Amino acid sequence: MQPLLTWFHKLPDPVAEWLTLLGAALLALIAAAIAYRIGSRLLARSTRGRYPAEAIVQSAVLPARWLLPLMALNVVWHGAPDDLHGVEGLRRLTALAMVGCATWLIARGIHRVSATYLARLPIKEADNLQARRLYTQTRVLSRTGVGLVILVGTAMALMTFPTVRQVGTSLLASAGVVGIVAGFAARPVLGNLIAGLQIGLTQPIRLDDVVIVEGEWGVIEEINSAYVVVRIWDQRRLIVPLQWWIEHPFQNWTRDSAELIGTVFLWVDYRMPLEPLRQALQQACQASPHWDGRLALLQVTEAGERALQLRALVTAATSSAAWDLRCAVREALIDFIQRQYPEYLPQWRTQGLDRTMAPPAAAGS
């Protein structure tokens, strides 16, 4: 032992200081590894079966494996003399890695907690209005939160470089035009970010909502951080920016309930008896599995010059069921009229000139 100490004291001061610093760093890494192993087991055991604590612990396992050693090294580097050659670079590199791991940990925690919560929602049930509301809100807010965490983490990582801070300060102090240009350039991004928060909180749309957008009937298939994907009935996809939903009117057929009233219009002759047609409407609704039993009503909505316009009101539990029910009712009523009263379908009439009103024949004819 004595020869080793003698050899150590004969080393140059910078080398001896670096050896001491590396030995302290090794001990710090060992302590961090022991603390990680003990802490992870205790937290996993104490939070087992408890939401959201269990999800948070599970998401923090991998980032914490890197973050704890970096924190220990950061303490060691800051305990070293400031004039030690190369220590400032290590401090900056460690701080940068710590910011990255902390950003990773928080973003991973938000994603894991939201994913665990979404898996608990009964989104596949028939009456899933409340579940879809919570699903949309959680998904939009979690993605917005992750985006904000990444944005703040990137800003903090850049702030670890003194040159970047000085350049940014000088630019802001000397030229406010740069800020204006940056604001205009970032306006779509910030607009979509704010619109995403508004949609997540107020929920004008939710996943699986049936909407009419730009004259197209579709279903909300996906809500991203920048746009919404609407699945059109013919399997096309309509991509709509988030900010559009805040600034433009649109129809939401499932805002408070999925129940709808469907309409079927028919034109018939004035002589068509309505009571048999009402009975045919009732029978057609009862024969359809899409009718929910709330309403089946036949009304005369217009009396034109040549025909009557009839409107049949039928109800269904969902928009897709309402569409199928309308088609079935329309086919059934047309078939009924064709079979029972074919002469009362709309037709053009031509009336000949009355013979009593004909002009008298010329004399001598």
Side-chain angles (χ1 to χ4, degrees):
M1 190 67 181
Q2 186 64 30
L4 182 62
L5 292 176
T6 304
W7 172 80
F8 183 79
H9 287 299
K10 291 181 179 180
L11 292 173
D13 290 342
V15 177
E17 290 179 352
W18 266 110
L19 288 177
T20 304
L21 188 63
L22 292 177
L26 180 60
L27 292 177
L29 291 176
I30 294 174
I34 296 174
Y36 169 78
R37 186 175 295 272
I38 296 175
S40 60
R41 290 185 177 181
L42 290 177
L43 289 174
R45 184 176 301 176
S46 61
T47 59
R48 187 173 300 165
R50 298 170 57 187
Y51 175 83
E54 184 179 15
I56 295 175
V57 171
Q58 290 177 355
S59 65
V61 168
L62 187 57
R65 183 177 295 176
W66 295 92
L67 184 60
L68 288 179
L70 289 172
M71 294 175 64
L73 289 176
N74 188 58
V75 174
V76 174
W77 303 149
H78 280 80
D82 293 337
D83 57 351
L84 183 61
H85 179 71
V87 72
E88 185 62 29
L90 281 177
R91 290 174 179 174
R92 193 171 301 162
L93 184 62
T94 305
L96 188 63
M98 285 177 55
V99 170
C101 283
T103 304
W104 180 26
L105 188 148
I106 298 174
R108 183 182 172 93
I110 294 174
H111 176 74
R112 187 60 178 269
V113 170
S114 63
T116 306
Y117 179 71
L118 293 177
R120 295 167 174 255
L121 295 176
I123 196 67
K124 295 184 179 180
E125 294 183 359
D127 188 11
N128 61 352
L129 183 62
Q130 181 66 15
R132 290 192 293 111
R133 180 181 293 114
L134 296 175
Y135 191 96
T136 302
Q137 190 173 33
T138 304
R139 194 168 182 179
V140 172
L141 292 180
S142 65
R143 290 186 175 183
T144 304
V146 170
L148 289 175
V149 169
I150 294 175
L151 181 63
V152 173
T154 304
M156 292 182 65
L158 293 175
M159 294 297 288
T160 58
F161 298 96
T163 306
V164 176
R165 288 202 302 266
Q166 294 174 3
V167 170
T169 304
S170 61
L171 284 175
L172 290 176
S174 62
V177 178
V178 175
I180 298 175
V181 172
F184 275 105
R187 188 173 62 88
V189 177
L190 296 177
N192 281 328
L193 182 62
I194 296 174
L197 289 175
Q198 289 180 286
I199 290 175
L201 294 174
T202 61
Q203 294 196 346
I205 55 173
R206 297 177 297 267
L207 290 175
D208 289 337
D209 269 350
V210 178
V211 294
I212 302 292
V213 182
E214 298 291 335
E216 298 281 2
W217 182 96
V219 178
I220 301 296
E221 184 178 51
E222 186 178 351
I223 301 178
N224 289 323
S225 57
Y227 57 86
V228 176
V229 180
V230 181
R231 185 179 71 250
I232 309 302
W233 65 273
D234 56 1
Q235 298 185 353
R236 289 178 294 150
R237 299 299 188 271
L238 185 64
I239 310 299
V240 185
L242 282 176
Q243 197 169 0
W244 187 94
W245 300 92
I246 304 300
E247 299 176 350
H248 296 83
F250 60 93
Q251 296 184 37
N252 189 336
W253 288 12
T254 54
R255 179 67 179 89
D256 296 319
S257 174
E259 297 177 343
L260 285 177
I261 299 178
T263 57
V264 175
F265 289 96
L266 293 176
W267 289 92
V268 297
D269 191 76
Y270 269 90
R271 296 173 296 167
M272 176 70 199
L274 299 181
E275 191 57 34
L277 201 57
R278 288 192 173 95
Q279 296 177 4
L281 171 63
Q282 190 71 28
Q283 294 174 1
C285 290
Q286 293 175 352
S288 175
H290 305 294
W291 186 51
D292 61 3
R294 289 187 296 129
L295 179 66
L297 179 65
L298 183 69
Q299 296 174 320
V300 178
T301 55
E302 185 176 343
E305 295 180 0
R306 300 180 180 88
L308 293 176
Q309 185 188 63
L310 306 181
R311 182 182 66 179
L313 299 179
V314 292
T315 56
T318 62
S319 60
S320 58
W323 173 264
D324 293 335
L325 178 61
R326 290 169 60 195
C327 294
V329 166
R330 186 180 295 109
E331 293 174 5
L333 294 181
I334 292 176
D335 180 69
F336 174 77
I337 297 174
Q338 289 176 341
R339 288 186 293 104
Q340 302 295 333
Y341 302 94
E343 68 276 12
Y344 296 155
L345 289 171
Q347 52 187 294
W348 289 86
R349 291 189 180 90
T350 57
Q351 184 175 359
L353 186 63
D354 191 349
R355 292 182 179 274
T356 60
M357 301 297 294
S365 60

